[in-house]
């Protein structure tokens, strides 16, 4: 068993080290558009040989260590060394370079960072921790990273230089993205939960509702945005008062409606599945205690169905964080603005500045929901 | 023919008609267009755009299917068991990773045009196929596997003649999910220069021509819905067999 877990650990450590050995960890470019020269972590000009050795030792530590806690510590330590070395390396490279020169993260960095993070996640998964311990295992490194970011350790990297010049756009995109995701979730819940109950209460409703929502889900996002521009545009022309609320053919309104429509299927299907999965004996017990239909729903059925319903909401939130990026095409705002503008200018730092927060938000949301689901499951079993 | 079959046939016929004779859509498009605007996208024939769109999705689907099934078989063999947690984590990550992010990351690697879109489609399409292959193979009852062994079938024969056929409907579900997602992602791929139906929508958005947007959106939606319904029917047929 132990040997097996060791071999499994090598699955992360070896690709991480191979990535750093074979691919540049930083790219040095004359300006933000051109492609540049790779800098290896082990080359003298990278100036990170000691860091590279420490990193290799820690990465191999994840393979040799027996205790999962030590493996976790080694993986996080290696990740910290990697981040520190890209920050320092970028600062050293740009110290005596012209102003337009950019130092960006290279393929070696991304591969090593991904596999080291996976190694840490693997160790956490094998430690079988409780929900709160898992959250702190995630939040503590994230907090350390945030402090280093604030302290300016990474300021020489091109993605942060890009942030510096686009600070206002970035902040607006963050607000816009959250508005799209939360603004679509609330109406989707208000409509989806009752519809899910209707599916549970009547098989005939189910036969109509679920296939119809399936059809909506199948429609590609950009087509959905396009199709919704028309009715909303017509609505705002017919009722000018709505225009003051920001309802129109382009902008956030069609995006929010489209995201809410996409959210319906997972919410309705999981509400139905959750309610249908409540054991009949539980229902009988509630009825035997003299509960009314409404009390039975609120006190017995919904709490027992909560983990399944939350799983549906988790799917919706994660999916909509990604889909909201497409909303930028119809002027809906959000991080997609940065992505599409970056693609238009062939400025990959700008694309990354939009992409990284989207992925981070999606991963954070799914981890938080996992903990919430676990907590409700435990509450239900009590 | 069942009702679902009739619906599919009708939608498919509508799609083919609108691709071959785009002008059939003009009365509808006239409702939304500003006076004097061009109604039908004319920079490229719709047939060509649909052909490229389908070719892109089909090629990526073939790659995703081949690689996804192969990887799924490997991690469910005893020798590949070490990679199971890694594979599971990557699948989970794939579900949180938005398709557009894959596209955005592929562009710096491969430049603009067909290649980044193709890579993004392959990468993203791989995950549902892989995940469902693993689920399908694991779902084969132990008793069935025992029986196959009792009949004297060797490992590879068991896989080929017993396990894969039993897992086929589940694998096909993965392929369906990946195809529907990819039809949508290929549409977004037009923003990075891939030739496809997304071009019509994006041209409409850029020039404020709502008729183009409607034309492109209707065709893409029809294409995705037809693909979904058709693959569902194949799944059902396989389950019965």
């Amino acid at each position: 068993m132990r040997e097996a877990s060791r071999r499994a650990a090598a699955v992360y450590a070896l690709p991480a080290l191979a990535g750093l050995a074979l691919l540049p960890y930083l790219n040095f470019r004359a300006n933000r558009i051109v492609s540049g020269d790779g800098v290896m972590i082990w080359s003298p000009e990278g100036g990170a040989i000691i860091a590279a050795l420490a990193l290799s030792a820690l990465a191999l530590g994840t393979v040799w260590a027996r205790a999962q806690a030590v493996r976790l510590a080694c993986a996080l330590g290696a990740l910290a060394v990697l981040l520190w070395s890209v920050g320092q390396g970028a600062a050293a490279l740009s110290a005596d370079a012209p102003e337009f020169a950019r130092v960006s993260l290279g393929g070696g960095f991304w591969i090593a960072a991904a596999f080291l993070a996976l190694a840490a996640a693997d160790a956490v998964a094998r430690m079988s921790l409780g929900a709160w311990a898992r959250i702190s295992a995630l939040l503590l490194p994230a907090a350390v990273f945030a402090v280093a970011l604030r302290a300016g350790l990474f300021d020489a990297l091109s993605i942060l230089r890009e942030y510096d010049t686009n600070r206002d756009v970035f902040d607006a995109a963050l607000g816009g993205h959250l508005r799209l995701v939360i603004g679509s979730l609330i109406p989707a819940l208000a409509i989806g939960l009752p519809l899910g109950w209707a599916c549970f209460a009547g098989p005939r409703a189910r036969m109509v509702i679920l296939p119809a929502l399936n059809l909506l889900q199948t429609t590609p996002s950009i087509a959905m945005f396009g199709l919704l521009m028309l009715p909303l545009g017509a609505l705002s022309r017919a009722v000018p008062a709505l225009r003051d609320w920001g309802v129109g053919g382009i902008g956030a309104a069609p995006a929010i409606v489209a995201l809410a429509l996409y959210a319906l299927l997972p919410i309705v299907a999981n509400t139905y599945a959750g309610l249908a999965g409540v054991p009949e004996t539980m229902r009988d017990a509630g009825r035997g205690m003299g509960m009314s239909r409404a009390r039975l729903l609120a006190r017995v059925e919904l709490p027992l169905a909560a983990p399944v319903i939350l799983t549906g909401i988790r799917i919706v939130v994660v999916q909509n964080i990604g889909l909201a990026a497409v909303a930028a095409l119809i002027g809906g705002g959000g991080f997609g603005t940065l992505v599409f503008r970056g693609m238009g200018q062939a400025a990959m730092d700008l694309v990354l500045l939009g992409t990284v927060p989207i992925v981070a938000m999606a991963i954070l949301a799914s981890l938080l929901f996992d903990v919430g689901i676990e907590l409700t499951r435990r509450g239900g079993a009590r | 023919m069942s009702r679902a079959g009739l619906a599919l046939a009708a939608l498919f016929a509508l799609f083919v008609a609108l691709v071959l004779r785009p002008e059939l859509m003009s009365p509808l498009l006239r409702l939304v267009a500003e006076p004097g605007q061009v109604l039908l996208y004319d920079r490229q024939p719709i047939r060509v755009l649909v052909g490229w769109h389908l070719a892109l999705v089909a090629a990526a689907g073939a790659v995703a299917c081949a690689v996804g099934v192969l990887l799924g078989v490997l991690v469910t063999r005893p020798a590949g068991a070490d990679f199971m947690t890694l594979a599971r984590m990557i699948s989970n990550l794939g579900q949180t990773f938005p398709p557009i992010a894959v596209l955005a990351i592929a562009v710096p690697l491969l430049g603009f045009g067909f290649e980044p879109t193709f890579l993004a489609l392959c990468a993203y399409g791989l995950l549902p196929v892989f995940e469902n292959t693993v689920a399908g193979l694991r779902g084969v009852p132990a008793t069935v596997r025992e029986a196959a062994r009792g009949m004297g079938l060797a490992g590879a024969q068991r896989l080929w003649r017993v396990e894969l056929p039993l897992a086929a409907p589940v694998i096909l579900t993965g392929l369906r999910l990946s195809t529907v997602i990819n039809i949508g992602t290929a549409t977004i791929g037009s923003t990075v220069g891939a030739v496809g139906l997304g071009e019509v929508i994006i041209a409409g958005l850029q020039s404020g021509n709502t008729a183009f947007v409607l034309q492109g959106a209707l065709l893409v939606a029809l294409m995705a819905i037809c693909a979904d319904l058709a693959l569902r029917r194949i799944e059902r047929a396989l389950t019965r067999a």
Side-chain angles (χ1 to χ4, degrees), chain A residues 4 7-8 11-12 118 121-122 126 214-215 218-223 226-227 229-230 318 322 325-326 329-330 339-340 343 346 348 351 355 358-359 362-363 366, chain B residues 32 82-83 85-86 89 93 95-98 100-101 104-105 107-108 112 180 184 187-188 191-192 201-202 205 210 213-214 217-218 220-221 224-225 228 232:
Chain A
R7 256 181 297 154
V11 169
Y12 308 105
L118 285 171
D122 180 274
R126 283 171 202 263
N214 241 321
L215 217 61
T218 311
T219 309
S221 53
I222 182 173
L227 291 174
M229 283 171 65
L230 310 171
V318 169
V326 184
L329 284 176
I330 52 163
V339 176
F340 288 115
M343 284 180 177
M348 283 314 140
V351 173
T355 310
I358 296 174
V359 174
I363 292 177
S366 76
Chain B
V32 300
D82 291 346
F83 295 89
T85 21
L86 173 67
M89 270 199 285
L93 205 63
Q95 283 171 357
T96 38
F97 220 83
I100 183 165
I105 290 168
V107 171
F112 286 77
V180 170
T187 317
I188 304 172
T191 57
V192 298
I201 303 179
I202 286 161
L205 289 173
T210 335
V213 175
L214 182 61
L218 273 177
V220 171
I225 290 167
D228 182 73
R232 264 175 209 276

Coordinates of all heavy atoms in Angstrom, one line a residue, chain A residues 4 7-8 11-12 118 121-122 126 214-215 218-223 226-227 229-230 318 322 325-326 329-330 339-340 343 346 348 351 355 358-359 362-363 366, chain B residues 32 82-83 85-86 89 93 95-98 100-101 104-105 107-108 112 180 184 187-188 191-192 201-202 205 210 213-214 217-218 220-221 224-225 228 232:
Chain A
A4 N 2.6 1.7 -3.2 CA 1.7 2.2 -4.2 C 1.5 3.8 -4.0 O 1.6 4.5 -5.0 CB 0.3 1.6 -4.0
R7 N 4.6 5.5 -5.4 CA 4.6 5.5 -6.9 C 3.6 6.6 -7.4 O 3.9 7.3 -8.3 CB 4.2 4.2 -7.5 CG 5.4 3.4 -8.1 CD 5.0 2.1 -8.7 NE 4.4 1.3 -7.6 CZ 3.5 0.3 -7.9 NH1 3.1 0.1 -9.1 NH2 3.1 -0.4 -6.9
A8 N 2.5 6.7 -6.7 CA 1.5 7.7 -7.0 C 2.1 9.1 -6.8 O 1.8 10.0 -7.6 CB 0.2 7.5 -6.2
V11 N 4.2 10.3 -9.6 CA 3.4 10.7 -10.8 C 3.3 12.3 -10.8 O 3.2 12.9 -11.9 CB 2.0 10.1 -10.7 CG1 1.0 10.8 -11.7 CG2 2.0 8.6 -10.9
Y12 N 3.4 12.9 -9.6 CA 3.3 14.4 -9.6 C 4.7 15.0 -9.6 O 5.0 15.9 -10.4 CB 2.6 14.9 -8.3 CG 1.3 14.3 -8.1 CD1 1.1 13.3 -7.2 CD2 0.2 14.7 -8.9 CE1 -0.2 12.7 -7.0 CE2 -1.0 14.1 -8.7 CZ -1.2 13.2 -7.8 OH -2.4 12.6 -7.6
L118 N -1.3 19.8 -7.6 CA -2.0 18.5 -7.6 C -1.4 17.5 -6.5 O -2.2 16.8 -5.8 CB -1.9 17.8 -8.9 CG -2.8 18.4 -10.0 CD1 -2.4 17.8 -11.4 CD2 -4.2 18.1 -9.7
A121 N -2.9 18.6 -3.3 CA -4.3 18.3 -3.2 C -4.4 16.8 -2.9 O -5.3 16.3 -2.2 CB -5.0 18.7 -4.5
D122 N -3.5 16.0 -3.6 CA -3.6 14.5 -3.4 C -3.3 14.2 -1.9 O -4.0 13.3 -1.3 CB -2.5 13.9 -4.3 CG -2.5 12.4 -4.2 OD1 -1.8 11.9 -3.3 OD2 -3.2 11.7 -5.0
R126 N -5.8 12.3 0.8 CA -5.4 11.0 1.4 C -5.4 11.2 3.0 O -5.4 10.2 3.7 CB -4.1 10.5 1.0 CG -4.1 9.9 -0.4 CD -2.7 9.6 -0.9 NE -2.7 9.5 -2.3 CZ -2.8 8.3 -3.0 NH1 -2.8 7.2 -2.3 NH2 -2.7 8.3 -4.3
N214 N -33.6 20.8 -20.9 CA -32.5 20.1 -21.6 C -32.2 20.8 -22.9 O -31.0 21.0 -23.3 CB -32.9 18.7 -21.9 CG -32.0 17.7 -21.3 OD1 -30.8 17.9 -21.2 ND2 -32.5 16.6 -20.8
L215 N -33.2 21.2 -23.6 CA -33.1 21.9 -24.9 C -32.4 23.2 -24.7 O -31.5 23.6 -25.4 CB -34.5 22.2 -25.4 CG -34.7 22.0 -26.9 CD1 -34.3 20.6 -27.4 CD2 -36.1 22.4 -27.3
T218 N -28.7 22.7 -24.1 CA -28.0 22.3 -25.3 C -27.6 23.5 -26.1 O -26.6 23.5 -26.8 CB -28.8 21.3 -26.1 OG1 -29.3 20.3 -25.2 CG2 -28.0 20.7 -27.2
T219 N -28.4 24.6 -26.1 CA -28.1 25.7 -26.9 C -26.7 26.4 -26.5 O -26.5 26.7 -25.4 CB -29.2 26.8 -26.8 OG1 -30.4 26.1 -26.9 CG2 -29.1 27.9 -27.8
P220 N -25.8 26.5 -27.5 CA -24.5 27.1 -27.1 C -24.6 28.5 -26.6 O -25.5 29.2 -27.0 CB -23.8 27.1 -28.5 CG -24.4 26.0 -29.2 CD -25.8 26.0 -28.9
S221 N -23.7 28.9 -25.7 CA -23.9 30.1 -24.9 C -24.0 31.3 -25.8 O -24.8 32.2 -25.7 CB -22.7 30.3 -23.9 OG -21.5 30.1 -24.6
I222 N -23.1 31.4 -26.8 CA -23.1 32.6 -27.6 C -24.3 32.7 -28.5 O -24.9 33.8 -28.7 CB -21.8 32.6 -28.5 CG1 -21.7 33.9 -29.3 CG2 -21.6 31.4 -29.3 CD1 -20.4 34.0 -30.0
A223 N -24.9 31.6 -28.9 CA -26.2 31.6 -29.6 C -27.3 32.1 -28.7 O -28.2 32.9 -29.0 CB -26.5 30.2 -30.1
G226 N -27.1 35.7 -28.2 CA -27.6 36.4 -29.4 C -29.1 36.3 -29.5 O -29.8 37.3 -29.8
L227 N -29.7 35.1 -29.2 CA -31.2 35.0 -29.3 C -31.9 35.9 -28.3 O -33.0 36.4 -28.6 CB -31.6 33.6 -29.1 CG -31.2 32.6 -30.2 CD1 -31.5 31.2 -29.9 CD2 -31.9 33.0 -31.5
M229 N -30.8 38.8 -27.2 CA -30.7 40.2 -27.5 C -32.0 40.7 -28.1 O -32.4 41.9 -27.8 CB -29.6 40.4 -28.5 CG -28.2 40.3 -27.9 SD -27.0 40.4 -29.2 CE -27.3 42.0 -29.9
L230 N -32.7 39.9 -28.9 CA -33.8 40.4 -29.6 C -35.0 40.7 -28.7 O -35.5 41.8 -28.7 CB -34.2 39.4 -30.7 CG -33.0 38.9 -31.6 CD1 -33.4 37.8 -32.5 CD2 -32.6 40.1 -32.4
V318 N -20.3 27.1 -10.7 CA -19.0 26.8 -11.4 C -19.2 27.1 -12.9 O -18.4 27.7 -13.5 CB -18.5 25.4 -11.1 CG1 -17.4 25.1 -12.0 CG2 -18.1 25.3 -9.6
G322 N -17.7 30.3 -15.6 CA -17.1 30.2 -16.9 C -17.9 30.8 -18.0 O -17.3 31.5 -18.8
A325 N -17.9 34.6 -18.8 CA -16.8 35.2 -19.6 C -17.3 35.5 -21.0 O -16.8 36.5 -21.6 CB -15.6 34.3 -19.6
V326 N -18.2 34.7 -21.6 CA -18.7 34.9 -22.9 C -19.5 36.1 -23.0 O -19.7 36.7 -24.1 CB -19.4 33.6 -23.4 CG1 -19.8 33.7 -24.9 CG2 -18.5 32.4 -23.2
L329 N -18.9 39.4 -25.0 CA -19.1 39.6 -26.4 C -20.3 40.4 -26.7 O -20.4 41.0 -27.7 CB -19.3 38.2 -27.1 CG -18.0 37.4 -27.3 CD1 -18.3 36.0 -27.9 CD2 -17.1 38.1 -28.3
I330 N -21.3 40.4 -25.8 CA -22.5 41.3 -26.0 C -22.5 42.4 -25.0 O -23.5 43.0 -24.7 CB -23.8 40.5 -25.9 CG1 -23.8 39.7 -24.5 CG2 -24.0 39.5 -27.0 CD1 -25.2 39.3 -24.2
V339 N -10.2 39.1 -21.5 CA -9.8 38.0 -22.3 C -10.0 38.4 -23.8 O -9.0 38.2 -24.6 CB -10.7 36.7 -22.0 CG1 -10.3 35.6 -23.0 CG2 -10.5 36.3 -20.6
F340 N -11.2 38.9 -24.2 CA -11.4 39.2 -25.6 C -10.6 40.4 -26.0 O -10.1 40.4 -27.2 CB -12.9 39.4 -25.8 CG -13.6 38.1 -25.8 CD1 -14.6 37.9 -24.8 CD2 -13.4 37.1 -26.7 CE1 -15.3 36.7 -24.7 CE2 -14.0 35.9 -26.6 CZ -15.0 35.7 -25.7
M343 N -7.1 39.0 -26.6 CA -7.1 38.2 -27.8 C -7.0 39.2 -29.0 O -6.3 39.0 -30.0 CB -8.3 37.3 -28.0 CG -8.2 36.1 -27.1 SD -9.7 35.1 -27.4 CE -9.3 33.7 -26.3
A346 N -3.7 40.6 -29.3 CA -2.6 39.6 -29.3 C -1.7 39.8 -28.1 O -0.5 39.6 -28.1 CB -1.8 39.6 -30.6
M348 N -1.0 38.5 -24.7 CA -1.3 37.3 -23.9 C -1.4 37.6 -22.4 O -2.1 36.9 -21.7 CB -0.4 36.2 -24.3 CG -0.7 35.6 -25.6 SD -2.5 35.3 -25.7 CE -2.9 35.7 -27.3
V351 N -4.8 38.5 -21.7 CA -5.7 37.3 -21.7 C -5.6 36.5 -20.4 O -6.6 36.1 -19.8 CB -5.3 36.3 -22.9 CG1 -6.1 35.1 -22.8 CG2 -5.5 37.0 -24.2
T355 N -8.1 35.3 -17.6 CA -8.4 33.9 -17.4 C -8.1 33.4 -16.0 O -8.9 32.6 -15.4 CB -7.5 33.1 -18.4 OG1 -7.7 33.7 -19.7 CG2 -7.9 31.7 -18.5
I358 N -10.8 33.9 -13.5 CA -12.0 33.1 -13.7 C -11.8 31.7 -13.2 O -12.6 31.1 -12.5 CB -12.3 33.0 -15.3 CG1 -12.6 34.4 -15.8 CG2 -13.4 32.1 -15.5 CD1 -12.8 34.4 -17.3
V359 N -10.6 31.1 -13.5 CA -10.3 29.8 -13.1 C -10.2 29.7 -11.5 O -10.7 28.8 -10.9 CB -9.0 29.3 -13.7 CG1 -8.6 27.9 -13.2 CG2 -9.2 29.2 -15.2
A362 N -13.6 29.8 -10.1 CA -14.3 28.5 -10.2 C -13.8 27.5 -9.3 O -14.6 26.8 -8.6 CB -14.2 28.1 -11.7
I363 N -12.5 27.4 -9.1 CA -12.0 26.4 -8.2 C -12.4 26.7 -6.7 O -12.8 25.9 -6.0 CB -10.4 26.3 -8.3 CG1 -10.1 25.8 -9.7 CG2 -9.8 25.5 -7.2 CD1 -8.6 25.7 -10.0
S366 N -16.0 25.9 -6.1 CA -16.3 24.4 -6.0 C -15.8 23.9 -4.7 O -16.4 23.0 -4.1 CB -15.8 23.7 -7.3 OG -14.4 23.5 -7.1
Chain B
V32 N -36.4 41.6 -37.5 CA -35.5 42.2 -36.5 C -34.5 43.2 -37.2 O -33.8 43.9 -36.4 CB -34.7 41.1 -35.8 CG1 -35.6 40.1 -35.1 CG2 -33.8 40.3 -36.8
D82 N -2.2 3.4 -10.2 CA -1.5 4.5 -9.5 C -2.0 5.9 -10.0 O -2.0 6.9 -9.3 CB 0.0 4.5 -9.7 CG 0.6 3.3 -9.0 OD1 -0.1 2.7 -8.1 OD2 1.8 3.0 -9.3
F83 N -2.4 5.9 -11.3 CA -2.7 7.1 -11.9 C -4.2 7.5 -11.7 O -4.7 8.5 -12.1 CB -2.5 7.1 -13.4 CG -1.1 6.9 -13.8 CD1 -0.5 5.6 -13.9 CD2 -0.2 8.0 -13.9 CE1 0.8 5.5 -14.1 CE2 1.1 7.8 -14.2 CZ 1.6 6.6 -14.3
T85 N -6.0 8.4 -8.9 CA -6.3 9.7 -8.2 C -6.0 10.9 -9.1 O -6.7 11.8 -9.1 CB -5.5 9.8 -6.9 OG1 -4.4 9.0 -6.9 CG2 -6.4 9.5 -5.7
L86 N -4.8 10.8 -9.7 CA -4.4 11.9 -10.6 C -5.5 12.2 -11.7 O -6.0 13.3 -11.9 CB -3.1 11.7 -11.3 CG -2.7 12.7 -12.3 CD1 -2.4 14.0 -11.7 CD2 -1.5 12.2 -13.1
M89 N -8.6 13.6 -10.2 CA -8.5 15.1 -9.9 C -8.5 15.9 -11.2 O -9.1 17.0 -11.2 CB -7.1 15.3 -9.1 CG -7.3 15.2 -7.7 SD -6.0 16.0 -6.8 CE -4.7 14.8 -6.9
L93 N -11.0 18.8 -12.1 CA -10.5 20.2 -12.4 C -11.1 20.6 -13.8 O -11.5 21.7 -14.0 CB -9.0 20.1 -12.6 CG -8.3 21.4 -12.4 CD1 -8.5 21.9 -10.9 CD2 -6.8 21.2 -12.6
Q95 N -14.0 19.9 -14.9 CA -15.3 20.4 -14.8 C -15.4 21.8 -14.2 O -16.4 22.5 -14.5 CB -16.1 19.5 -13.8 CG -16.5 18.2 -14.5 CD -17.1 17.2 -13.6 OE1 -17.2 17.4 -12.4 NE2 -17.6 16.1 -14.1
T96 N -14.3 22.2 -13.5 CA -14.3 23.6 -13.0 C -13.7 24.6 -14.0 O -13.9 25.7 -14.0 CB -13.6 23.7 -11.7 OG1 -12.4 22.9 -11.7 CG2 -14.4 23.4 -10.5
F97 N -12.9 24.0 -14.9 CA -12.1 24.8 -15.9 C -13.0 25.2 -17.0 O -13.5 24.4 -17.7 CB -11.0 24.0 -16.4 CG -9.7 24.8 -16.6 CD1 -8.9 24.9 -15.5 CD2 -9.3 25.3 -17.8 CE1 -7.7 25.6 -15.6 CE2 -8.2 26.0 -17.9 CZ -7.3 26.2 -16.8
P98 N -13.3 26.5 -17.2 CA -14.3 26.9 -18.3 C -13.7 26.6 -19.7 O -12.5 26.9 -19.9 CB -14.5 28.4 -18.1 CG -13.7 28.8 -16.9 CD -12.8 27.7 -16.5
I100 N -13.8 28.3 -22.3 CA -13.2 29.5 -22.9 C -11.8 29.8 -22.3 O -10.9 30.3 -23.0 CB -14.1 30.8 -22.6 CG1 -13.5 32.0 -23.3 CG2 -14.3 31.0 -21.2 CD1 -14.4 33.1 -23.4
A101 N -11.5 29.3 -21.1 CA -10.2 29.5 -20.5 C -9.2 28.6 -21.3 O -8.1 29.0 -21.6 CB -10.2 29.1 -19.0
A104 N -8.5 30.4 -24.4 CA -7.6 31.5 -24.1 C -6.2 31.1 -23.9 O -5.3 31.8 -24.3 CB -8.1 32.3 -22.9
I105 N -6.0 29.9 -23.3 CA -4.6 29.5 -23.0 C -4.0 28.9 -24.3 O -2.8 28.9 -24.5 CB -4.6 28.5 -21.8 CG1 -5.0 29.3 -20.6 CG2 -3.3 27.8 -21.7 CD1 -5.3 28.4 -19.4
V107 N -4.3 29.9 -27.3 CA -4.0 30.9 -28.3 C -2.5 31.3 -28.2 O -1.8 31.3 -29.2 CB -4.9 32.1 -28.2 CG1 -4.3 33.3 -29.1 CG2 -6.3 31.8 -28.7
P108 N -1.9 31.6 -27.0 CA -0.5 31.9 -27.0 C 0.4 30.8 -27.4 O 1.5 31.0 -28.0 CB -0.2 32.3 -25.5 CG -1.4 31.8 -24.8 CD -2.5 31.8 -25.7
F112 N -3.3 32.3 -33.8 CA -4.7 32.4 -34.1 C -5.1 31.4 -35.2 O -4.3 30.8 -35.8 CB -5.0 33.8 -34.6 CG -5.0 34.8 -33.4 CD1 -3.8 35.2 -32.9 CD2 -6.2 35.2 -32.8 CE1 -3.8 36.1 -31.9 CE2 -6.2 36.1 -31.8 CZ -5.0 36.6 -31.3
V180 N -21.6 18.3 -27.6 CA -22.5 19.5 -27.5 C -21.6 20.7 -26.9 O -21.7 21.8 -27.5 CB -23.6 19.2 -26.5 CG1 -24.4 20.4 -26.2 CG2 -24.6 18.2 -27.2
G184 N -20.5 24.5 -29.1 CA -20.5 25.8 -28.5 C -19.1 26.4 -28.5 O -19.0 27.6 -28.8
T187 N -18.0 27.7 -31.7 CA -18.6 28.9 -32.1 C -17.8 30.1 -31.5 O -17.5 31.1 -32.2 CB -20.0 29.0 -31.5 OG1 -20.6 27.7 -31.7 CG2 -20.8 30.1 -32.1
I188 N -17.4 29.9 -30.2 CA -16.5 31.0 -29.6 C -15.2 31.1 -30.3 O -14.6 32.1 -30.3 CB -16.4 30.7 -28.1 CG1 -17.7 30.6 -27.4 CG2 -15.6 31.9 -27.4 CD1 -17.7 30.2 -26.0
T191 N -13.9 33.9 -32.5 CA -13.3 35.1 -32.0 C -11.8 35.0 -32.2 O -11.1 36.1 -32.1 CB -13.6 35.4 -30.5 OG1 -13.2 34.3 -29.8 CG2 -15.1 35.6 -30.3
V192 N -11.2 33.8 -32.3 CA -9.8 33.7 -32.5 C -9.5 33.3 -33.9 O -8.4 32.8 -34.2 CB -9.1 32.8 -31.5 CG1 -9.2 33.3 -30.1 CG2 -9.6 31.4 -31.6
I201 N -22.4 35.1 -36.2 CA -22.8 35.8 -35.0 C -21.9 37.0 -34.6 O -22.4 38.1 -34.3 CB -22.9 34.9 -33.8 CG1 -23.8 33.7 -34.1 CG2 -23.4 35.6 -32.5 CD1 -23.9 32.7 -33.0
I202 N -20.6 36.7 -34.7 CA -19.7 37.8 -34.3 C -19.7 38.9 -35.3 O -19.6 40.1 -34.9 CB -18.3 37.1 -34.1 CG1 -18.3 36.3 -32.8 CG2 -17.2 38.2 -34.0 CD1 -17.3 35.3 -32.7
L205 N -22.6 40.9 -34.3 CA -22.3 41.7 -33.0 C -21.5 42.9 -33.3 O -21.7 44.0 -32.8 CB -21.7 40.8 -32.0 CG -22.6 39.8 -31.3 CD1 -21.8 38.9 -30.4 CD2 -23.7 40.4 -30.5
T210 N -28.5 42.8 -36.3 CA -29.2 41.8 -35.5 C -29.6 40.6 -36.4 O -29.7 39.5 -35.8 CB -30.4 42.4 -34.8 OG1 -30.2 43.8 -34.7 CG2 -30.6 41.8 -33.5
V213 N -26.9 38.1 -36.3 CA -26.9 37.4 -35.0 C -27.9 36.3 -34.9 O -27.7 35.2 -34.5 CB -27.0 38.4 -33.9 CG1 -27.1 37.7 -32.5 CG2 -25.9 39.4 -33.9
L214 N -29.1 36.7 -35.4 CA -30.2 35.7 -35.3 C -30.0 34.5 -36.2 O -30.2 33.4 -35.8 CB -31.6 36.4 -35.7 CG -32.8 35.5 -35.6 CD1 -33.0 35.0 -34.2 CD2 -34.0 36.3 -36.0
A217 N -27.2 32.4 -34.7 CA -27.6 31.8 -33.4 C -28.6 30.6 -33.7 O -28.5 29.6 -33.1 CB -28.2 32.8 -32.5
L218 N -29.5 30.8 -34.6 CA -30.5 29.8 -34.9 C -29.8 28.6 -35.4 O -30.1 27.4 -35.0 CB -31.5 30.3 -35.9 CG -32.8 31.0 -35.3 CD1 -33.7 31.5 -36.4 CD2 -33.5 30.1 -34.4
V220 N -26.6 27.6 -35.1 CA -25.8 26.9 -34.1 C -26.7 26.1 -33.1 O -26.4 25.0 -32.8 CB -24.9 27.9 -33.4 CG1 -24.2 27.3 -32.2 CG2 -23.9 28.5 -34.3
A221 N -27.8 26.8 -32.7 CA -28.6 26.1 -31.7 C -29.2 24.9 -32.4 O -29.3 23.8 -31.7 CB -29.7 27.1 -31.3
A224 N -26.6 22.1 -32.5 CA -26.3 21.4 -31.2 C -27.5 20.5 -30.8 O -27.3 19.4 -30.3 CB -26.1 22.5 -30.2
I225 N -28.7 21.0 -31.0 CA -29.8 20.2 -30.6 C -30.0 19.0 -31.4 O -30.2 17.9 -30.9 CB -31.1 21.1 -30.6 CG1 -31.1 22.2 -29.6 CG2 -32.4 20.3 -30.5 CD1 -32.1 23.3 -29.7
D228 N -27.3 16.5 -30.2 CA -27.7 16.0 -28.9 C -28.8 14.9 -29.1 O -28.6 13.8 -28.5 CB -28.2 17.1 -28.0 CG -28.6 16.7 -26.6 OD1 -27.7 16.4 -25.9 OD2 -29.8 16.6 -26.3
R232 N -28.3 10.9 -28.4 CA -29.2 10.2 -27.4 C -29.9 9.0 -28.0 O -30.0 8.0 -27.3 CB -30.3 11.2 -27.0 CG -30.0 12.0 -25.8 CD -31.1 13.0 -25.5 NE -30.5 14.2 -24.9 CZ -30.4 14.2 -23.5 NH1 -30.8 13.2 -22.8 NH2 -29.9 15.3 -23.0

